[in-house]
Amino acid sequence: MRITIITFLLLSFNTLASIIYPQAKKIPQQELRFGHLISDEYKWMENTMDPELWPWIEKQNELTSSLIDTPLVEYFKSKLIEYQKLKDEALDNSVNQELDENKLALRIPFDPTLMRLQKKNYFGKIRFDSNEDEKYNLVFESTRGGDLAFLQIYKKENKEHVKTLIVKFFEKISLVGDELIYISDNDGRTGDSRGKIYKHIIGTERSETQTIYTAQSAYGSLSKFAETTDPKVKYFIETCSLTSRSFYFKLDLTTGEASPYKSLGGDVVLFLSQNQFVIKDFSSANYGELKLINIETNSVELILAEQDFLVTSITNLNKELSLITAVKDAENEMYLYTHKTKELKKINFPSSGRLKFSSASGFDESDADQTKRHIMVDYRSYSDPLSRYKYDFAKETVTRVSGKKAPFEITVVKLHYTAPNGQEAAIWLFKKKSTQLLPSTPLILSGYGGFGVNLLPSLNKPSLGWLEKGGAYAVVTLPGSLVYGSEWYELARRDGRVNSFDSFATAAKVLIEKGYTSSKHIGMVGGSNGGLLIAGTLQRHPDLFAAAVPMVGVLDLYNYSLFGAGKYWIGDFGNPFKESDFLKIKDISPYHNLKEPNYPAVLIMSSEFDDRVHIMH
């Protein structure tokens, strides 16, 4: 996997005083946007296909490699080799005994804008898509882990490779005979910015592929929604990133004729039947209300009024009973919901963790012995990698039936801080039991803070290594998530993103004030939108931290919508090419508001081939 890691150290340290960073060429460029003059000497570097940029990238890689311990490099190399073996075995078992990676990957010619993807050290993700009654195996390969991917098509009978299609955000709709119908997003390399539904006859050229339907809005994305009794007629959802509104419609895949749009009105959490589904509607409730929608009649029925928790999923056990998974104060709870009476009953699974439904037994109508009813639930926390619990309906008991243990005992503490809107929000702090929390304790602070993403307890291997060496780790629940409802999410949209930055800093101050660490020993890390969180917090509170690692961060809020998946983030960040939005976000774009040091030590990480958060950031 070829990764570009760009390192900037913005505060001089004796041990690193000799570092000489590769100097990039400066080409002054100015833009006047809504009366605001934007000067940028490095804008030419946004074009990663410019050959003049490549030597600079190579020098950055050489510098990074020279600073990383050899044992660490060897460790990651071994992991890559291990991954490759598993990948090759999967290919051998699923597609073709004779295939190797060089034969499978990159077998098509590329235009100049994609030429840099043709490298021997190809690395990516693979998944398979095949049903027994289909003539073909589909092998979906992402390029170096990105969203732009190769869809490889093989005949089942003789495992012959038939075709490669370049797709992005691929979703199969149907594969009948030689006819493949699928959704693919478009970007500058494959078309315009709208999602489309395509019909491709396998064996024909890509240029002969038909477009069945194009999203109506300029930044519209499409996804399959529901089936009908006619396999050629299906329901789809279109979501416009400009308005964050979603609509569903019925589409005839033969004629391309679409029924009138109907507002979805919320987030879909459950399909009850072919014509009915349940949504979570936030229009008049902070934590949302559950409503039953009939697709054909568009009728709406309230089935669960707002609670003091956020419903995240519903599992239908039978016609009378459902299992509801919810989030309350940054951890999961589970409830049984009786359809007829609309009653809720909490199941007392372990608290302070993440719960996920695994399986159910004894709920079939033909089951004679209802006392055998039970469900299995997976549980994770910051001290428990994975345990499985059984809930017995007859005895109303919860029993741990299996699980893995952490390599050492971990202590978890739940704290709270007060966010700018007055909300008391959770901080999860965990450490090796033997580690003392002192002002000298090295502590990593992490968070996300956007897009309604809820960070729930889950132990990961990188944090284990940190804990084992005597460090502590803390995860902050931030505005921009939905943990405390839609108002909490709205608090961090557009220019409100600073509420996420300031909340993160407030959480750090709470840990420091309690004597668990100090400004000299606390560092922060976050990825993607979390990378923006780290950069924004760094600029507003530079004296609070000793180190910062923004990974693949959204750092250029002036131009993000022009690159990669950025067009889908307008609902959260605002449209930088709309005056009212631009004037709100122009002062919080990290790249454009970079000040002179004193900043703490900063490691900025990016990937040369990241097509979601483009390396231009």
Side-chain angles (χ1 to χ4, degrees):
M1 184 178 183
R2 189 167 185 275
I3 292 293
T4 299
I5 302 180
I6 306 175
T7 63
F8 292 96
L9 212 61
L10 301 177
L11 184 63
S12 178
F13 290 89
N14 293 333
T15 55
L16 298 172
S18 61
I19 292 179
I20 300 175
Y21 291 96
Q23 296 300 302
K25 182 174 64 176
K26 297 180 180 181
I27 302 177
Q29 184 173 333
Q30 291 187 327
E31 172 194 352
L32 190 66
R33 193 183 303 180
F34 307 121
H36 179 74
L37 184 65
I38 304 169
S39 299
D40 193 341
E41 297 176 316
Y42 301 108
K43 194 168 182 64
W44 70 275
M45 300 176 78
E46 291 177 358
N47 178 16
T48 55
M49 300 305 163
D50 188 334
E52 290 194 40
L53 180 60
W54 302 347
W56 180 84
I57 291 175
E58 296 297 338
K59 290 177 182 177
Q60 287 282 4
N61 282 332
E62 290 171 8
L63 171 63
T64 301
S65 297
S66 70
L67 295 174
I68 295 177
D69 292 338
T70 301
L72 188 63
V73 174
E74 294 304 318
Y75 170 79
F76 280 111
K77 281 183 180 178
S78 69
K79 289 300 178 185
L80 292 180
I81 292 170
E82 191 178 305
Y83 171 86
Q84 189 61 53
K85 287 180 180 177
L86 292 173
K87 180 176 166 185
D88 288 341
E89 288 174 8
L91 287 175
D92 289 343
N93 294 333
S94 302
V95 184
N96 190 331
Q97 295 295 330
E98 300 177 358
L99 283 180
D100 60 33
E101 182 164 337
N102 291 329
K103 291 179 182 177
L104 181 63
L106 312 181
R107 60 167 69 241
I108 58 175
F110 286 92
D111 58 60
T113 59
L114 290 175
M115 61 181 290
R116 298 207 71 211
L117 296 179
Q118 285 186 291
K119 293 178 178 288
K120 291 182 180 179
N121 57 345
Y122 172 84
F123 182 87
K125 298 177 182 176
I126 285 186
R127 63 180 170 88
F128 303 96
D129 192 339
S130 178
N131 296 325
E132 289 184 8
D133 57 348
E134 295 172 352
K135 292 172 57 178
Y136 299 94
N137 280 323
L138 303 182
V139 181
F140 180 83
E141 301 177 310
S142 67
T143 46
R144 292 175 172 83
D147 295 316
L148 190 69
F150 303 97
L151 180 65
Q152 310 281 13
I153 303 173
Y154 298 87
K155 286 183 180 178
K156 275 187 178 177
E157 58 179 4
N158 59 8
K159 300 177 182 177
E160 174 190 351
H161 180 267
V162 181
K163 195 69 180 174
T164 301
L165 300 176
I166 299 178
V167 294
K168 190 171 185 181
F169 298 124
F170 171 83
E171 181 183 358
K172 186 178 78 173
I173 304 303
S174 69
L175 177 55
V176 180
D178 294 323
E179 182 183 271
L180 171 64
I181 296 177
Y182 65 95
I183 293 173
S184 181
D185 175 76
N186 291 282
D187 61 15
R189 292 168 289 189
T190 58
D192 61 33
S193 64
R194 302 169 189 238
K196 293 183 179 181
I197 302 174
Y198 295 98
K199 178 165 70 175
H200 177 76
I201 305 302
I202 298 174
T204 65
E205 295 301 315
R206 173 67 178 86
S207 59
E208 299 178 54
T209 299
Q210 299 176 37
T211 300
I212 296 176
Y213 182 84
T214 301
Q216 300 297 294
S217 55
Y219 294 94
S221 61
L222 299 169
S223 59
K224 186 170 66 175
F225 183 43
E227 303 287 341
T228 69
T229 53
D230 183 348
K232 283 292 184 179
V233 178
K234 301 181 188 294
Y235 281 96
F236 293 87
I237 290 177
E238 178 174 333
T239 301
C240 176
S241 64
L242 290 173
T243 62
S244 299
R245 297 183 65 189
S246 296
F247 304 86
Y248 65 93
F249 59 95
K250 187 190 293 184
L251 181 69
D252 189 314
L253 298 177
T254 303
T255 65
E257 183 179 348
S259 67
Y261 277 25
K262 298 177 182 178
S263 175
L264 196 57
D267 302 328
V268 178
V269 290
L270 176 68
F271 281 101
L272 282 175
S273 66
Q274 200 167 57
N275 296 326
Q276 291 184 314
F277 61 94
V278 177
I279 65 165
K280 182 170 48 183
D281 181 9
F282 293 103
S283 60
S284 58
N286 181 42
Y287 282 101
E289 300 172 315
L290 296 186
K291 295 180 178 180
L292 179 66
I293 310 293
N294 186 295
I295 294 177
E296 296 297 335
T297 65
N298 209 30
S299 62
V300 181
E301 176 190 349
L302 176 67
I303 59 173
L304 184 65
E306 181 181 18
Q307 305 294 313
D308 63 347
F309 52 73
L310 177 78
V311 174
T312 54
S313 68
I314 307 176
T315 303
N316 216 25
L317 299 175
N318 59 20
K319 292 180 180 179
E320 288 81 35
L321 200 62
S322 290
L323 179 69
I324 289 179
T325 304
V327 173
K328 187 172 183 179
D329 198 26
E331 57 188 279
N332 276 143
E333 295 182 340
M334 277 189 168
Y335 297 84
L336 291 173
Y337 172 74
T338 305
H339 298 178
K340 188 174 182 179
T341 63
K342 300 182 180 180
E343 291 179 335
L344 284 173
K345 178 183 178 182
K346 185 179 178 183
I347 304 177
N348 293 314
F349 287 109
S351 58
S352 304
R354 177 186 301 217
L355 300 170
K356 183 180 180 181
F357 170 78
S358 177
S359 63
S361 181
F363 288 92
D364 193 281
E365 292 180 1
S366 62
D367 289 335
D369 188 359
Q370 300 298 323
T371 62
K372 293 183 178 180
R373 284 186 177 180
H374 69 266
I375 57 172
M376 307 295 284
V377 172
D378 290 339
Y379 168 80
R380 289 176 170 85
S381 73
Y382 289 121
S383 59
D384 188 338
L386 175 63
S387 290
R388 179 159 291 181
Y389 285 84
K390 175 182 178 180
Y391 175 68
D392 187 304
F393 279 73
K395 299 177 182 177
E396 296 187 349
T397 56
V398 174
T399 308
R400 185 177 185 269
V401 294
S402 64
K404 300 177 181 178
K405 290 185 177 180
F408 47 82
E409 194 169 350
I410 298 172
T411 300
V412 183
V413 180
K414 189 177 187 181
L415 308 167
H416 289 85
Y417 72 97
T418 303
N421 68 339
Q423 171 70 51
E424 291 291 310
I427 308 171
W428 291 103
L429 173 64
F430 51 106
K431 64 179 185 67
K432 192 175 182 178
K433 185 179 180 181
S434 60
T435 299
Q436 286 186 290
L437 292 175
L438 303 168
S440 59
T441 303
L443 187 145
I444 293 176
L445 196 66
S446 183
Y448 192 79
F451 296 93
V453 173
N454 305 320
L455 296 183
L456 298 175
S458 184
L459 189 63
N460 59 59
K461 289 182 179 179
S463 64
L464 275 175
W466 176 256
L467 300 185
E468 189 173 24
K469 292 181 179 296
Y473 207 106
V475 178
V476 186
T477 305
L478 295 168
S481 70
L482 279 164
V483 169
Y484 302 108
S486 58
E487 294 171 4
W488 181 247
Y489 164 59
E490 292 292 337
L491 185 66
R493 292 181 71 194
R494 294 180 168 82
D495 57 329
R497 190 70 54 169
V498 295
N499 290 317
S500 181
F501 305 160
D502 292 345
S503 294
F504 197 62
T506 300
K509 291 174 183 176
V510 167
L511 297 172
I512 292 170
E513 288 168 1
K514 287 184 175 293
Y516 297 159
T517 187
S518 63
S519 291
K520 291 182 179 180
H521 296 280
I522 188 171
M524 53 179 169
V525 62
S528 192
N529 178 75
L532 168 62
L533 166 72
I534 301 307
T537 306
L538 175 75
Q539 291 182 326
R540 292 173 66 84
H541 308 276
D543 299 328
L544 194 55
F545 297 89
V549 185
M551 301 185 294
V552 292
V554 184
L555 307 181
D556 180 347
L557 292 181
Y558 287 15
N559 301 292
Y560 76 89
S561 61
L562 302 176
F563 294 86
K567 61 191 177 186
Y568 297 123
W569 310 333
I570 290 175
D572 249 53
F573 294 144
N575 186 348
F577 296 96
K578 179 182 177 183
E579 184 173 10
S580 58
D581 285 357
F582 175 76
L583 294 178
K584 288 180 180 179
I585 64 176
K586 74 179 182 65
D587 294 331
I588 63 171
S589 176
Y591 176 70
H592 299 94
N593 291 279
L594 192 65
K595 299 181 177 70
E596 292 296 320
N598 299 313
Y599 287 122
V602 180
L603 175 68
I604 300 177
M605 301 180 66
S606 188
S607 168
E608 182 181 352
F609 296 98
D610 192 334
D611 57 356
R612 183 167 294 187
V613 182
H614 193 276
I615 194 173
M616 68 77 126
H617 288 281

